[in-house]
Amino acid sequence: MRFGPWTASLLPATVRFWNRAFASRRNFVPVTERTFRERVTGKETAFEKFDPTQFIVARDGSEIAGFIH
């Protein structure tokens, strides 16, 4: 398993992981690449700004095994 900061190339794998990991949760709403960018990586307001160095991704091969932000 490898750990490192999030990069834009991980977007498809991040969306797959998110949907797979949270699908069984109550009130789950699937995300798309577009909604993930809008809600997470695209944040640039006076109150919120996405910092990829603070979004650590655990990868097992080409798939994401987890992340912490």
Side-chain angles (χ1 to χ4, degrees):
M1 191 165 302
R2 295 176 302 163
F3 297 88
W6 189 86
T7 63
S9 66
L10 293 174
L11 181 60
T14 303
V15 168
R16 280 193 308 273
F17 172 80
W18 183 277
N19 288 327
R20 185 176 64 244
F22 298 106
S24 64
R25 303 289 183 186
R26 196 177 116 188
N27 299 325
F28 169 73
V29 176
V31 297
T32 63
E33 290 183 17
R34 178 181 174 196
T35 56
F36 194 84
R37 279 191 301 269
E38 289 171 356
R39 296 177 184 177
V40 181
T41 62
K43 291 290 184 177
E44 288 215 29
T45 69
F47 302 105
E48 296 178 289
K49 181 176 168 102
F50 179 73
D51 179 357
T53 65
Q54 299 298 312
F55 192 104
I56 306 301
V57 179
R59 296 183 354 183
D60 187 10
S62 63
E63 288 300 314
I64 292 179
F67 51 77
I68 187 166
H69 184 258

